[in-house]
Amino acid sequence: MNKQKIKEIVRQKIFETKNIPVKEIHSDSLIKDGLGITSMEYIVVLTDIATVLDIDLMSFSESEIIKAITIGDLEDVLGSKLVNISED
């Protein structure tokens, strides 16, 4: 798995949840204030992404979830849970 694939998955799941075009979702996009994702939608997105990436949701600490303010932050948290991650 590489960082680009994580980016694609995150953006696709946000598109599916909020109908925001993928090209309008950037690493510095604010999850709540910028994209308007509610807490419930955030949990749905996180759950869906974790399922696709085969990450156990229990491996996330509350602080990791709360500290993910931007899409880039979320991608970094997800990437930190994957064993074989590459930059490509």
Side-chain angles (χ1 to χ4, degrees):
M1 179 70 56
N2 62 42
K3 289 187 175 191
Q4 182 60 35
K5 187 66 177 169
I6 294 171
K7 286 174 72 169
E8 291 169 12
I9 292 167
V10 168
R11 285 158 174 73
Q12 182 61 36
K13 291 299 177 186
I14 291 172
F15 168 72
E16 290 171 10
T17 302
K18 290 294 286 187
N19 204 29
I20 299 170
V22 171
K23 65 182 178 199
E24 293 179 17
I25 304 170
H26 307 284
S27 292
D28 62 351
S29 296
L30 298 172
I31 294 169
K32 292 181 181 179
D33 295 334
L35 299 175
I37 295 173
T38 66
S39 296
M40 183 58 76
E41 290 168 333
Y42 181 65
I43 296 302
V44 169
V45 167
L46 184 59
T47 302
D48 288 351
I49 294 167
T51 299
V52 169
L53 296 176
D54 196 29
I55 299 171
D56 181 1
L57 282 177
M58 298 307 289
S59 69
F60 292 95
S61 70
E62 184 177 347
S63 65
E64 287 176 313
I65 294 170
I66 292 171
K67 288 180 183 178
I69 305 296
T70 67
I71 296 299
D73 296 338
L74 177 59
E75 293 164 353
D76 289 343
V77 168
L78 292 163
S80 74
K81 302 300 176 188
L82 298 171
V83 177
N84 296 317
I85 182 103
S86 64
E87 294 288 328
D88 311 291

